[in-house]
Amino acid sequence: MTTLNPYLNFPDARAREAMEFYQSVMGGELTIMTFGDMGTEGAMATQVMHGQLEAPGGLTLMGADAPPEMVQVTFGDNVSVSLSGGQDDADELRSWFTGLSEGGEVRQPLEVAPWGDEFGMFVDRYGISWLVNIAGVTQG
C-alpha cells in the first residue's frame, strides 16, 4: 500500500518542540532521530534530522529541523495539512482543532459550512496551516 504523509520543515531548531506539541494533542508514538545520531557534531547534533508521529487511526506526521545551510523554509498558504473524517471522528477532530490551534491563529472557526460539513482553518504556533473537515454534520 502506498501512503502520502505530510513532512514538515521547521526553522530555528523547533522541530522537537513542534512534534512533541503535536503528540501532546493527538497522542500516539513519537520517534526522533537527531543529526548527532547520524554522526554530526557541534551545534547541529541535537537538531532533529527526522521525527515521526504515529497517531491513532493510522495518521503519520513527519517533521525535521531545517538548518538554513540545508533547507530554506518559506511559510505561506501553498500547503496545508488537512484532517478529515466523519461523525465517528467528530469529537477527536474537534479536540485536535482546539488543541492544535492553541497559540496560533484561527482563520475560520470550526463550524457548519455552506456545503454542510463542519469546517475550520488555522495556522498553528509553528506557522503550519491546517484544515479540519467533519463530514455529515446535520444542522439542528
Side-chain angles (χ1 to χ4, degrees), residues 42-90:
M44 216 168 90
T46 60
Q47 292 189 29
V48 175
M49 186 175 107
H50 177 74
Q52 184 165 318
L53 175 61
E54 298 285 342
L59 176 76
T60 301
L61 184 64
M62 299 177 187
D65 283 311
E69 61 274 12
M70 300 174 103
V71 178
Q72 294 298 312
V73 175
T74 304
F75 289 108
D77 294 329
N78 59 327
V79 175
S80 296
V81 177
S82 178
L83 299 170
S84 58
Q87 286 303 295
D88 291 345
D89 309 303

Side-chain angles (χ1 to χ4, degrees), residues 94-108:
R94 288 183 190 113
S95 173
W96 289 357
F97 184 94
T98 300
L100 293 171
S101 65
E102 184 178 314
E105 176 191 351
V106 174
R107 294 191 172 167
Q108 168 65 47

Side-chain angles (χ1 to χ4, degrees), residues 4-129:
L4 177 66
N5 304 106
Y7 204 108
L8 309 174
N9 289 304
F10 298 93
D12 305 322
R14 295 188 75 194
R16 180 181 300 274
E17 176 187 332
M19 296 300 290
E20 288 174 351
F21 172 68
Y22 299 149
Q23 181 189 32
S24 76
V25 173
M26 302 170 89
E29 183 176 334
L30 176 63
T31 56
I32 291 182
M33 178 187 320
T34 66
F35 285 98
D37 293 335
M38 296 294 110
T40 300
E41 296 178 357
M44 216 168 90
T46 60
Q47 292 189 29
V48 175
M49 186 175 107
H50 177 74
Q52 184 165 318
L53 175 61
E54 298 285 342
L59 176 76
T60 301
L61 184 64
M62 299 177 187
D65 283 311
E69 61 274 12
M70 300 174 103
V71 178
Q72 294 298 312
V73 175
T74 304
F75 289 108
D77 294 329
N78 59 327
V79 175
S80 296
V81 177
S82 178
L83 299 170
S84 58
Q87 286 303 295
D88 291 345
D89 309 303
D91 290 341
E92 180 175 59
L93 288 166
R94 288 183 190 113
S95 173
W96 289 357
F97 184 94
T98 300
L100 293 171
S101 65
E102 184 178 314
E105 176 191 351
V106 174
R107 294 191 172 167
Q108 168 65 47
L110 188 59
E111 59 191 19
V112 178
W115 58 89
D117 292 352
E118 195 171 338
F119 177 78
M121 308 185 301
F122 62 91
V123 176
D124 73 19
R125 63 178 75 171
Y126 302 100
I128 304 299
S129 297

